[in-house]
Amino acid sequence: MHWAPFAMDTESRNLSAQPLAVHPPLTRLPLVTLYVTERCNSRCITCDYWRHGRNDMDLAAVTRLLPSFAQLHTEVVLLSGGEPLLNPDWAPIAESLHKNGIKAWLLTSGLALAKHARRAAGLFDAITVSLDGTDAETYAAIRGVDAFEKVCEGIHAAAEHGMRPSLRVTLQRANYRQFPAFVGLAKELGARQVSFLAVDVANPHAFGRTDDFVSDLALRREELPEFEQLLHTVERDHSEDFRSGFIAESPQKLRRIHQYFAAIHGQRPYPPVRCNAPEFSAVIGATGRVQPCFFISGPLDARTANGNVSPSADLTSILNDSGMTALRNSIRNGLRAECITCVCSMWRDPQDLRSVTKFMGAVWEARP
């Protein structure tokens, strides 16, 4: 369901042997993403987590991370996965973060949100729900479960309890014609914002995929003119929603989605990527493995403590050891193939990282 590559290529394994450029150590980490579980209750065609996910991150593992979060001035922790609400410790984890002055953000499929709406609204500072259809048929075709009405119920319930969720839509061949309808549905459900990104088909190991992943999810060549017209329609009919930020992306950013699909067919280059996500954030998997972003795995020995897994060092040391430093240098210097085709690049002005309000707003607007 969410961002979490498992595989690690030869380039990553060999990074620690490369000469390192001189660069200051990482001393601030405003945003941390925790994959608190690898399990999921969706059956998405874009993701393989539900096929093989088994591990959870328990409260004890998060508790062991708290001193590192304090040392790194972490302000926001995003609970992701898999489906975070399947983790039996999701509420105590959120409570623990709050007690330590850290804002908690939930990224969820929404299947269990109606059941937990009151408690989630009280524990999380932000909730983002993945919603990939505006009707039951389209939703089931993409998410693999007949749960459209249940997810909508959860979004509405959270809004009624004072926490208006943001919606995240992954545009793909099965739902791109509903692009304008997603804006209307988001308003109807009481969402605070709707965000769009392209389905990732260029990275075979994104979203827990295995090496046998075969994709027919992207728009076909003959569908690109229709999608371009839909972009014109949304830009024309929803100028106020762009201005207010209800649609998270600017029209220019949304056009990058069209360019991405055109690039898949060799019609255009991939949209240029400007990203410094590894400079202000990191991802920690359910087994404790640390990686610099959603799409690039960290070194095999870059692990925090989780369950029976012994930590090699605290999080600050892991982020600044030779392997992880070399990996960030490689990303910074444009040497990673994954970055060229990335659908979720993020660039933040370093000055904004000192304000959690600005930072969280920037993250919500970070879709390409």
Side-chain angles (χ1 to χ4, degrees):
M1 171 186 146
H2 304 312
W3 309 291
F6 281 113
M8 180 180 185
D9 57 25
T10 303
E11 181 180 2
S12 294
R13 289 193 295 268
N14 292 338
L15 276 173
S16 59
Q18 298 177 7
L20 302 181
V22 176
H23 198 271
L26 202 60
T27 59
R28 295 185 66 91
L29 200 69
L31 174 66
V32 172
T33 296
L34 298 181
Y35 290 140
V36 294
T37 183
E38 296 173 342
R39 299 179 295 123
C40 194
N41 48 10
S42 295
R43 300 291 182 266
C44 299
I45 59 176
T46 58
C47 175
D48 276 347
Y49 260 130
W50 58 272
R51 298 180 188 274
H52 51 69
R54 297 290 184 272
N55 297 296
D56 287 346
M57 178 183 290
D58 60 20
L59 175 61
V62 177
T63 300
R64 287 191 289 269
L65 287 167
L66 291 174
S68 291
F69 292 164
Q71 184 178 9
L72 290 163
H73 308 283
T74 299
E75 298 183 58
V76 182
V77 170
L78 169 64
L79 303 191
S80 183
E83 170 48 51
L85 295 180
L86 290 182
N87 186 320
D89 283 348
W90 72 265
I93 288 172
E95 290 172 345
S96 177
L97 294 171
H98 271 176
K99 288 177 181 177
N100 285 272
I102 298 172
K103 293 184 180 293
W105 179 9
L106 173 67
L107 177 57
T108 174
S109 68
L111 270 68
L113 187 56
K115 176 181 177 181
H116 300 296
R118 182 187 297 273
R119 196 172 190 194
L123 286 174
F124 290 101
D125 300 275
I127 297 175
T128 299
V129 179
S130 297
L131 185 66
D132 292 332
T134 61
D135 57 59
E137 182 179 2
T138 304
Y139 181 92
I142 295 174
R143 309 292 293 191
V145 292
D146 182 11
F148 174 72
E149 296 297 339
K150 179 58 68 175
V151 173
C152 290
E153 179 188 348
I155 295 167
H156 186 69
E160 285 197 325
H161 287 297
M163 177 50 63
R164 296 169 60 206
S166 297
L167 305 188
R168 190 197 67 181
V169 180
T170 302
L171 289 172
Q172 53 201 282
R173 189 160 60 84
N175 69 2
Y176 78 93
R177 290 185 175 91
Q178 298 179 348
F179 178 30
F182 278 111
V183 182
L185 178 61
K187 291 180 178 180
E188 180 183 331
L189 296 175
R192 66 171 299 275
Q193 189 179 60
V194 60
S195 177
F196 299 91
L197 71 161
V199 63
D200 181 280
V201 296
N203 186 334
H205 296 130
F207 305 96
R209 298 167 183 160
T210 52
D211 289 327
D212 58 354
F213 173 75
V214 177
S215 171
D216 189 28
L217 306 176
L219 271 65
R220 292 172 177 169
R221 184 187 302 266
E222 60 270 21
E223 293 170 327
L224 292 174
E226 182 182 7
F227 181 50
E228 186 172 22
Q229 185 57 48
L230 288 170
L231 285 166
H232 283 298
T233 299
V234 171
E235 183 174 353
R236 181 196 66 208
D237 295 347
H238 293 279
S239 58
E240 175 57 25
D241 293 322
F242 284 111
R243 189 199 66 77
S244 68
F246 184 77
I247 299 176
E249 296 77 24
S250 66
Q252 293 74 23
K253 284 188 176 182
L254 288 179
R255 292 184 181 282
R256 290 170 58 91
I257 299 176
H258 183 279
Q259 184 177 347
Y260 173 83
F261 288 130
I264 290 170
H265 298 290
Q267 293 184 339
R268 298 185 65 182
Y270 282 97
V273 171
R274 188 186 187 202
C275 183
N276 62 349
E279 309 297 332
F280 61 77
S281 65
V283 176
I284 304 176
T287 61
R289 182 151 174 204
V290 182
Q291 53 193 71
C293 74
F294 301 119
F295 291 100
I296 299 177
S297 297
L300 286 171
D301 60 351
R303 292 180 181 271
T304 63
N306 187 24
N308 295 323
V309 179
S310 297
S312 57
D314 61 68
L315 182 57
T316 304
S317 299
I318 291 171
L319 291 170
N320 291 297
D321 71 11
S322 60
M324 192 67 79
T325 300
L327 183 52
R328 283 200 305 276
N329 284 345
S330 180
I331 295 168
R332 189 182 301 116
N333 294 323
L335 302 179
R336 296 291 307 200
E338 301 95 328
C339 298
I340 297 172
T341 61
C342 184
V343 299
C344 196
S345 58
M346 294 194 294
W347 173 269
R348 295 294 151 251
D349 187 313
Q351 293 304 314
D352 286 347
L353 304 185
R354 297 186 177 276
S355 166
V356 69
T357 302
K358 285 185 179 181
F359 181 75
M360 290 186 75
V363 170
W364 282 323
E365 298 169 359
R367 310 305 176 209

